[in-house]
Amino acid sequence: MNLKSLIRTIPDYPKPGIQFRDITTLLKDAEGLRQVVKALAERYGDAGVDKVVGIESRGFIIAAAVAYELGLGFVPVRKQGKLPGTVLGHDYELEYGSDRVEIHSDAIEPGERILLLDDLIATGGTAEAATVLINKLGGEIVACAFIINLIDLGGDARLQKLGYTTYSLCSFEGE
């Protein structure tokens, strides 16, 4: 199955010049969704992962499904103020301004092996912020995996320079 054919491109969203890669068309395709979950679960099924962490919001969909398939727990990384209880947060820079992501302070035990999943890697800022949180809680990141890698934006390379193993099911370049 060609996953790229199931991903819709929306030009000039959320601003002019951006080619938004929309996975909702992939998600509504039962076989496409099944293939994504199966591919990621098979890849990491023998990796000794203890928990799957997903980044808000589309990353939740895939990460929770993969966690279920692997028989593991799911941990959300959310934008500031969305999680109840005690959280640990990390600020990171965006193209224009900054943002903050948070995780429950009791979500990961020291030494747990973590698979970090999101729908898409662009510049890598949000994924890097999530790795900081996981590390602060003592988690060991096995891999950072994505459905889509926007190669030209360098997020994949950014995470690799930090020492993380990355994987994507498909990629887009120069668009």
Side-chain angles (χ1 to χ4, degrees), residues 15-95:
K15 63 182 187 176
I18 302 291
Q19 298 292 319
F20 185 82
R21 305 303 176 175
D22 178 21
I23 67 160
T24 62
T25 48
L26 167 64
L27 297 173
K28 74 177 183 177
D29 184 278
E31 186 57 28
L33 177 58
R34 207 173 356 265
Q35 289 299 318
V36 166
V37 173
K38 180 180 176 186
L40 292 169
E42 285 179 357
R43 182 173 184 90
Y44 296 105
D46 294 326
V49 172
D50 296 307
K51 288 182 181 159
V52 179
V53 172
I55 301 173
E56 184 171 343
S57 66
R58 290 175 303 274
F60 288 180
I61 300 163
I62 299 305
V66 171
Y68 176 82
E69 186 70 20
L70 293 174
L72 303 174
F74 164 73
V75 175
V77 169
R78 299 212 60 193
K79 293 179 182 173
Q80 184 175 8
K82 301 289 186 178
L83 291 171
T86 305
V87 298
L88 184 63
H90 184 74
D91 296 318
Y92 64 100
E93 296 302 313
L94 299 168
E95 187 176 352

Side-chain angles (χ1 to χ4, degrees), residues 146-166:
F146 311 91
I147 297 173
I148 302 168
N149 178 11
L150 300 181
I151 295 172
D152 293 348
L153 295 180
D156 191 52
R158 177 180 181 171
L159 292 175
Q160 290 172 8
K161 282 182 185 176
L162 294 170
Y164 299 109
T165 300
T166 62

Side-chain angles (χ1 to χ4, degrees), residues 97-169:
S98 63
D99 209 344
R100 182 175 180 85
V101 290
E102 296 176 337
I103 192 170
H104 278 124
S105 58
D106 62 355
I108 296 170
E109 297 295 322
E112 285 188 316
R113 294 172 50 83
I114 306 299
L115 172 60
L116 177 64
L117 289 179
D118 204 358
D119 66 317
L120 180 141
I121 179 86
T123 65
T126 308
E128 182 180 346
T131 68
V132 169
L133 293 174
I134 293 165
N135 287 322
K136 283 183 179 179
L137 293 176
E140 176 189 333
I141 299 167
V142 173
C144 303
F146 311 91
I147 297 173
I148 302 168
N149 178 11
L150 300 181
I151 295 172
D152 293 348
L153 295 180
D156 191 52
R158 177 180 181 171
L159 292 175
Q160 290 172 8
K161 282 182 185 176
L162 294 170
Y164 299 109
T165 300
T166 62
Y167 175 73
S168 299
L169 293 173

